[in-house]
Structure formats: structure tokens, C-alpha cells
Amino acid sequence: GNIVDRNGVVLAGNRMGFNVVLDKNFLPDDYLAIVLQIKKIMAEKEEKITDSLPITYGGANFLFEEGREDDVAKLKTKLGLQSYATIDDVMAALISRYQLEQYTGYDLRTLAGVCYDMQLREFSNYTTFTLATDVSMDTVTKIKENSMFLPGVTISEETVRTYPQGDLAAQVIGVTGLMDSDEWAVYKEKGGYSLSDYVGKFG
């Protein structure tokens, strides 16, 4: 629902948006090629596939994102690495685990992030994966026009949280985001949730 101030001014509201969703039941074995096709389509509208991998690529080197020490530690644990593992160790583990040897640069960063999130969200024949959220109508149209070349890719219409007043009272209102596997361990006990649901992150 909406969150309003005492004068009825909306601080947090909703609107409809479009998500790009992958269904494993219909994806081909080389589905990473499809991910790159979608990345190319989205780039035309300056949109990006988002993920939770705490690594950036600056055109020359991979780096851990600043201020995300907890996420980096979690990543190393998920990969079975020691806390002192370097960025090179982490990238080597990602490449090996997800069989990304043929990719380099920005494509490698994109696919490593997607594969990592697929693992976190337990992507399977029973659980779809949201590849991108709140994409433009132009992107939706382009994906639908190319649907015969993008098996396993669907568009879902979802409610998107909006904050008309920017970050006003953000510490109280909080934000929502896609559930991760750690949160799923808590929410599944409550019933009525799936790994593709949005939940409150803080506030």
C-alpha cells in the first residue's frame, strides 16, 4: 500500500512495471548466449541487467566494490574460498564454477553476476529467475518481436515501488528488493512467499 504523510502526500507508492523473466523449462542449453542477446537489446535503451555480485569491471581490471565488505565475504564463502582470497582468486572460481572460460571483459562480468544470482535464488525448473526489472516499453517490444529467438524468456507485469519525494524519510520508509537465499530461509517458514518475491530490506 501507499505510505503518506499527515497531509496525504505520498512518500512511497506503486506503479506497474515490466520485468524480464527466464523460465528454465524452455531455455536451451546455451542460455548464456540468450542472456547476452537481452543485454544487447537493453543497452539500446541504456538499461542494464542488475545483479548482487559485489564486483565491478572498469575496462581493464576486475575490482571488489567499495563499501560492500559483507557481500564480498558472503561471495567468498559461497565459492568456498578463504577470507584472504584476492579478486583474481574469486574471478577464477566464478569462471570455473559457471564454465565461463570463453568470455572476457564486460560480458564475463555480466554472466558471472547473472549466474551468481541464479545460484542465490535457486533458479530451477520450479523457480523462475528475474533477469531485469522495470524495463522500458521499447525493451519489452523488442524482446517480444524477437521471441522466437529468445526461448524461455517472458515478460511479467509487476508492481514497482516508487518514492515521489526522493530519499525523504528513507530511514523510516525503507526500501524493498528481491529476496535472497538467506532471507528465503526466514520467509519460507511464514508461508505464501517464493524466492522471486520482493520483501522489505530495511526501514
Side-chain angles (χ1 to χ4, degrees), residues 74-81 89-91 93-94 97-98 116 119:
K74 178 180 176 181
L75 169 61
K76 291 178 181 180
T77 299
K78 291 282 186 185
L79 294 173
L81 299 174
D89 296 329
V90 170
M91 288 306 301
L94 288 168
R97 172 168 295 195
Y98 303 126
Y116 179 62
Q119 179 183 349

Side-chain angles (χ1 to χ4, degrees), residues 15-31:
R15 63 175 172 77
M16 295 309 295
F18 298 99
N19 296 346
V20 181
V21 179
L22 303 183
D23 187 333
K24 195 168 188 177
N25 293 292
F26 303 102
L27 284 174
D29 292 337
D30 62 340
Y31 67 89

